[in-house]
């Protein structure tokens, strides 16, 4: 996963949260519940992608710092 995937997942979460919000307003609690769950899953996926990107960045920085000066 990369940051592009994190962006895509966050966009999906926004959409699902809006659908859940509208579903509550329309009284369709089952659909609201389903979309709230999928929004949460998308947010979790985005968080995972961002965490991996941060770990990779930290590892690259540590490798760069451990290289001997030329």
């Amino acid at each position: 996963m990369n940051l592009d995937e994190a962006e895509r997942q966050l966009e999906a979460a926004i959409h699902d949260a809006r659908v859940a919000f509208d579903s509550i307003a329309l009284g369709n609690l089952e659909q609201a519940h389903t979309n709230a769950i999928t929004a949460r899953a998308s947010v979790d996926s985005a968080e995972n992608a961002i965490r991996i990107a941060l770990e990779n960045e930290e590892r690259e920085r540590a490798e760069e710092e451990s290289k001997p000066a030329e």
Side-chain angles (χ1 to χ4, degrees):
M1 268 195 232
N2 58 30
L3 293 179
D4 291 335
E5 179 64 14
E7 290 177 20
R8 192 185 74 72
Q9 289 296 331
L10 288 172
E11 288 290 337
I14 291 167
H15 170 75
D16 288 339
R18 286 181 179 149
V19 172
F21 179 85
D22 291 342
S23 296
I24 290 170
L26 295 171
N28 188 343
L29 297 181
E30 192 170 318
Q31 183 175 355
H33 183 246
T34 298
N35 283 98
I37 291 169
T38 57
R40 175 62 186 265
S42 293
V43 168
D44 289 345
S45 180
E47 185 275 331
N48 187 49
I50 293 167
R51 183 172 32 80
I52 289 169
L54 282 170
E55 290 170 357
N56 289 341
E57 188 176 278
E58 288 173 10
R59 183 175 53 250
E60 289 171 5
R61 189 177 314 124
E63 288 172 0
E64 215 30 60
E65 290 173 357
S66 68
K67 287 183 181 178
E70 293 181 17

